[in-house]
Amino acid sequence: MPCCAQTSLNFVKSAINARFVGKEPWQIIACTTSTVLLTVWIYNFVFDDEPIINRLKRTFFKYVKLIPSIRRKIESEMDKVNTEFERDMSSKTAHLKYFTTLPEKALSSTEILKIVDDVLSLGSYDYKAGLVSGTVYTMNKDIKDITKEVYGRTSYTNPLHTDVFPGICKMEAEIVRVTANLFHGDSKTCGCVTSGGTESILMACKAYRDYARAVRGVKKPEIVVPVTIHSAFDKAAQYFNLRVKSIPVDNNYQVNIKAMKQAISSNTVMIAGSAPNYPYGTMDDIEAISELGLKYNIPVHVDACLGGFLTIFMNEAGYPTPVTDFRLPGVTSISADTHKYGYTPKGTSVILYSDTKYRHYQYTVTTDWPGGVYGSPTVAGSRAGGNIAVCWATMLTLGKEGYVKATRDVIHTTRYIEKHLRDIPSIFIFGQPATSVVAIGSNVFEIYRLAGMLNEKGWNLNTLQYPSAIHICVTHVHAQPGVADRFINDIKASLEVILKNPEQPVEGKMALYGQAQSIPDRSIVGDFTRCFIDSIYYTPKGSAQK
Ligand SMILES: *Cc1c(COP(=O)(O)O)cnc(C)c1O
């Protein structure tokens, strides 16, 4: 040992000894124990799941809200918001009868179908004419006809009962295999049909958490994801107790690979990228993420929920796109939604793994339940066999040719809109739209004003925050003749009005989005959101019998 190190060691030793001269053994023990406990406490406090700044902020707001005058103010605001949300919901539905108890006598099918038509006419947006972003991905009549027939025949099936409905299981297996082949998997590639993109993502996160726990003994699992990744990953983190490390994006709205690399630790159970992401429609550098996964031996999930059923057909449709699937050796799973650009009715998505060893950790198995040995592949126990059959039928109705054509239509329309919007000087496009989403911002005026004016013209776009932006997700419904031009012209007409007075603040409903962003206490925004969800379950006052 070098002599200076030895000297300082001796110095520390004698300093400690001097400090404890004359102390009784119990005092030394008590002092040691409390020092250790304090160190552990400080360590846990500093290195908690949530950054220290967020926790301090949260605690601060928690105590501020205990001040009676502030608490009363918040409660009265919350009451107002609640009433507002309820009024909004009831104003849309009030002219219809509410069923609040089971009708004594059966309704006839004519009566029921009449009510269904009434209910369907409630929304004020013309999604069939292509005025709504995303949401409805096709109006294809062949698909509608066949799915109606197929659902009618399979609505009571349940693949949980494999012995009763082996044919539904075959259909599910075929959907998975076809999708695995489309994403260039091999004989080890496997997967499941889930109820939607969120469930597919939940399943991947669950599988990787349990895989890391079993294989590497990871007890404090973390996932490393771009800040632009879908909120389903936060949902997975909340459900499965994962820590989310959110990685910022570069100026081109792709995840910063260097920051992602730095965030990887011995607790990382998964890294992920979007192909593309929901907010901006930009594609992360999946090849680089795949390489990180290989280098650190960590599973890589590609969220292709939105774009998967476009990217796999884009090359053939004449729009070359980067490889984002199992051809990249680090990619271990892909989520791809059949109920988006797979054009099936809502209720299915596919989760794929490069290896069965991951899928095994997705399953839940209980071996000692009195009801028998119980194993199920996904979140649900019983599952809608009808949804699987309808998904299967849609895929076969379109065939590869149908998908390539639909993809060409969607991408052509998106590029057309993008090109014309880029020519307008007062707005800009975020990054490079990879598939079908175009996000719009402005440095000249408040972009939510444009959303508001388009709304008045019947458009329903999506609003983004941090920074303020709006986006359109182009579906096959927008590929109908005239829709793209109508969109571009409505934007131009709105801008003529807006630019007469560019400084004017946002007004009306759209102002809420701006305000929501500027509230520093995010728990209030959370409470508002909970009130909003409550309002979905609105029934008129007095409808409870007790
Ligand atoms: C829609 C979407 C999801 C989640 O899918 P759901 O089917 O709505 O649950 C996940 N990721 C992206 C990028 C999406 O656009």
Side-chain angles (χ1 to χ4, degrees), residues 415-433:
R415 301 272 160 103
Y416 182 84
I417 289 173
E418 182 197 341
K419 179 174 158 288
H420 282 83
L421 295 189
R422 282 197 193 276
D423 287 341
I424 303 176
S426 57
I427 55 174
F428 63 86
I429 305 295
F430 286 82
Q432 185 56 57

Side-chain angles (χ1 to χ4, degrees), residues 414-481:
T414 314
R415 301 272 160 103
Y416 182 84
I417 289 173
E418 182 197 341
K419 179 174 158 288
H420 282 83
L421 295 189
R422 282 197 193 276
D423 287 341
I424 303 176
S426 57
I427 55 174
F428 63 86
I429 305 295
F430 286 82
Q432 185 56 57
T435 57
S436 58
V437 173
V438 182
I440 311 163
S442 175
N443 295 320
V444 181
F445 63 93
E446 282 197 63
I447 195 70
Y448 292 154
R449 283 180 69 200
L450 178 58
M453 294 204 62
L454 287 171
N455 200 259
E456 281 166 25
K457 294 183 194 299
W459 292 92
N460 182 309
L461 304 184
N462 305 100
T463 46
L464 319 174
Q465 57 175 355
Y466 307 124
S468 296
I470 55 178
H471 89 201
I472 182 165
C473 173
V474 176
T475 71
H476 204 249
V477 184
H478 302 105
Q480 298 174 89

Side-chain angles (χ1 to χ4, degrees), residues 309-321:
F309 277 89
L310 292 169
T311 53
I312 48 180
F313 302 113
M314 272 172 73
N315 278 332
E316 247 171 282
Y319 295 97
T321 184

Side-chain angles (χ1 to χ4, degrees), residues 245-393:
K245 281 195 176 169
S246 262
I247 312 301
V249 287
D250 292 330
N251 290 337
N252 54 12
Y253 291 85
Q254 294 179 295
V255 70
N256 183 307
I257 296 294
K258 216 172 129 202
M260 181 166 249
K261 179 175 163 178
Q262 277 160 0
I264 293 173
S265 76
S266 57
N267 286 328
T268 309
V269 302
M270 175 193 89
I271 53 180
S274 314
N277 60 53
Y278 165 85
Y280 308 107
T282 50
M283 184 108 81
D284 294 314
D285 185 347
I286 304 295
E287 191 177 347
I289 298 174
S290 156
E291 272 160 26
L292 282 184
L294 284 180
K295 180 164 179 204
Y296 296 99
N297 197 18
I298 293 170
V300 172
H301 181 81
V302 177
D303 180 15
C305 280
L306 184 61
F309 277 89
L310 292 169
T311 53
I312 48 180
F313 302 113
M314 272 172 73
N315 278 332
E316 247 171 282
Y319 295 97
T321 184
V323 171
T324 53
D325 54 33
F326 291 119
R327 281 171 289 181
L328 299 173
V331 171
T332 53
S333 58
I334 297 173
S335 50
D337 287 358
T338 37
H339 72 192
K340 284 181 180 161
Y341 294 97
Y343 305 114
T344 82
K346 286 288 179 265
T348 54
S349 163
V350 179
I351 173 72
L352 295 172
Y353 298 97
S354 62
D355 198 303
T356 45
K357 72 180 177 190
Y358 299 121
R359 187 172 63 173
H360 273 182
Y361 288 96
Q362 175 193 297
Y363 299 160
T364 36
V365 177
T366 50
T367 52
D368 306 332
W369 181 43
V373 175
Y374 189 102
S376 56
T378 54
V379 172
S382 291
R383 288 190 297 154
N387 277 351
I388 289 172
V390 152
C391 174
W392 176 92

